[in-house]
Amino acid sequence: MSAESQPQEQISGDVSKEAKLLAACHEGNAKQVEDLIGQDAEIFVTDETGRTALHFAAASGDVDTVKLVLQSGIPWNALDVGDYTAGDYAEAGEHDEAYEELVQAGVRAEMVLRMFSGDVGNGKAANEDYLTQPVEYSGDRLIDAEKNGVMMSWEAPLMELHAKVICGKPDSVVLNVGFGMGIIDSALQELHPGRHVIVEAHPDVYQHMKDEGWDTKPNVHILFGRWQDKLDEIRALGPYDGIFFDTFGEFYKDLDDFHKAIFATKAGASEQAVQPILSQPDGIYSFFNGLGGDHKLFHDVYCRIVRADLLALGMQTQYSQVSSDVVFDKELWKGIKRPYWMIKTYNLPTCTWATEE
């Protein structure tokens, strides 16, 4: 990625208004950008590397230019040919204010999109295809039928940290949703929980758990099925001092629905008071934070969104930054259809009940 080169003119003849627009964005000249837009310069033009006006504005670091381009309709999440976001250009130039403007624009756009999208489901469970196809344990990874990485051993240091977050003392009652390779569950066992509940929906993973003897461990309770179908059993075995969530094949809406289920303090049309699944006031919740894991800008936007959604449910979230170098290891991702983590820093969430000031 280079933010230094000038916009490349692709239109023959005299310099076009579009070329002038990209150049003005590169210079951070908000007044000239505004004038050119007023002269009907095409805002959606790109140079030969796919860089938009927003990429050049972000590279300039001028916040007014970034705001103006965003207001003109360039998507906050636009990618160039090299798969770089405008946020990458802002960070390359150490333009923190411009980067923050992009994050805020992303949060606003995603919130608005969610308001208008509604429930567009097709009646199928989000992870139905995944659950009805075989998975394979292969060395350092668990992969699905399409060679997607369901879980990989590089996650082990992160999972050990997550385990310590949700199981801070012996004899804790803990819940993990999504066994995968069993990395976090093995780490939890080392911390000696009093009751350890595991929810797993994939039949091959469930069989692997039994083959490994998880169904015979004295303090382990396995619930085989989708968490949506096991809420009554989950509740009956709680409340929980610590909860961790890491499913595969689901979307943000499923994560949000899980949050609404475990933090609910009222139930039914009458809103009768109920004990939440996460114990109050000291229960701790965490989740695998792979949200937007292929681009830092996307990740930062979704970290803000999930924090706001959790706060609306009475939970406060703190992120601990953990260094991650897997992005640089091409061998690690060999054979995987699409790397699901390409960021240098992992934001590990610790969620606790919010206290009234």
Side-chain angles (χ1 to χ4, degrees):
M1 177 187 65
S2 173
E4 300 302 322
S5 58
Q6 293 286 338
Q8 299 296 308
E9 173 57 40
Q10 301 184 74
I11 305 173
S12 61
D14 294 335
V15 177
S16 66
K17 288 184 289 187
E18 286 72 26
K20 292 179 181 178
L21 175 66
L22 292 183
C25 289
H26 184 266
E27 295 164 4
N29 189 334
K31 179 63 170 62
Q32 187 177 9
V33 171
E34 185 175 24
D35 290 344
L36 287 163
I37 293 174
Q39 296 170 27
D40 295 326
E42 174 54 62
I43 189 67
F44 294 103
V45 69
T46 64
D47 77 346
E48 64 185 13
T49 66
R51 292 176 294 183
T52 67
L54 186 60
H55 286 87
F56 286 109
S60 79
D62 185 75
V63 176
D64 289 337
T65 304
V66 171
K67 288 181 178 180
L68 185 58
V69 172
L70 285 166
Q71 291 167 2
S72 299
I74 298 291
W76 69 274
N77 54 357
L79 298 171
D80 67 9
V81 173
D83 206 39
Y84 293 109
T85 68
D88 293 322
Y89 284 83
E91 287 217 314
E94 299 183 352
H95 302 310
D96 294 344
E97 291 185 19
Y99 186 85
E100 176 62 21
E101 185 62 36
L102 292 166
V103 172
Q104 292 184 19
V107 172
R108 290 193 298 268
E110 292 301 300
M111 289 294 194
V112 170
L113 180 63
R114 185 164 62 182
M115 287 174 58
F116 287 97
S117 63
D119 186 0
V120 294
N122 58 8
K124 292 173 56 178
N127 56 356
E128 181 175 322
D129 290 341
Y130 162 67
L131 295 178
T132 54
Q133 296 181 17
V135 296
E136 177 186 359
Y137 288 88
S138 178
D140 66 345
R141 62 196 62 189
L142 171 62
I143 55 177
D144 70 4
E146 298 178 0
K147 303 300 182 183
N148 291 304
V150 177
M151 193 171 203
M152 299 175 68
S153 62
W154 69 262
E155 299 176 36
L158 300 179
M159 292 298 163
E160 290 169 4
L161 292 173
H162 277 293
K164 291 176 182 178
V165 165
I166 70 165
C167 190
K169 61 182 185 297
D171 296 323
S172 294
V173 179
V174 296
L175 166 68
N176 173 42
V177 181
F179 180 83
M181 294 174 67
I183 299 175
I184 191 169
D185 290 298
S186 296
L188 286 169
Q189 283 290 295
E190 293 293 323
L191 299 173
H192 309 293
R195 183 184 304 139
H196 182 175
V197 181
I198 306 171
V199 181
E200 176 52 53
H202 199 289
D204 292 351
V205 177
Y206 177 55
Q207 182 60 52
H208 176 80
M209 294 176 71
K210 293 195 292 183
D211 292 343
E212 294 291 316
W214 282 90
D215 58 331
T216 63
K217 294 182 184 294
N219 64 341
V220 171
H221 299 259
I222 301 174
L223 302 180
F224 173 49
R226 298 175 66 242
W227 64 264
Q228 294 91 334
D229 302 323
K230 295 294 177 179
L231 282 172
D232 287 343
E233 293 170 74
I234 290 171
R235 182 178 293 279
L237 290 166
Y240 301 90
D241 301 301
I243 299 177
F244 183 72
F245 184 89
D246 182 17
T247 62
F248 184 81
E250 295 191 316
F251 301 107
Y252 182 76
K253 183 182 183 302
D254 301 288
L255 176 65
D256 192 45
D257 286 344
F258 180 74
H259 293 164
K260 291 173 181 175
I262 64 171
F263 303 135
T265 56
K266 296 180 181 180
S270 62
E271 294 193 336
Q272 180 181 359
V274 296
Q275 184 180 39
I277 292 174
L278 181 70
S279 64
Q280 286 182 312
D282 298 323
I284 299 177
Y285 167 70
S286 192
F287 58 93
F288 179 70
N289 192 7
L291 299 168
D294 50 354
H295 292 88
K296 184 177 184 299
L297 178 62
F298 302 171
H299 182 64
D300 288 343
V301 166
Y302 276 98
C303 282
R304 298 278 184 92
I305 290 173
V306 71
R307 174 185 275 165
D309 287 342
L310 284 167
L311 187 59
L313 296 172
M315 301 298 295
Q316 56 190 10
T317 304
Q318 293 184 337
Y319 295 111
S320 302
Q321 294 194 330
V322 182
S323 178
S324 172
D325 59 2
V326 297
V327 63
F328 303 112
D329 191 344
K330 292 183 180 180
E331 285 297 314
L332 185 149
W333 297 109
K334 184 178 291 185
I336 297 295
K337 182 178 180 180
R338 181 182 62 83
Y340 56 87
W341 187 257
M342 296 296 291
I343 306 174
K344 296 178 183 178
T345 302
Y346 178 79
N347 287 302
L348 191 152
T350 300
C351 309
T352 55
W353 291 103
T355 56
E356 295 184 6
E357 296 293 337

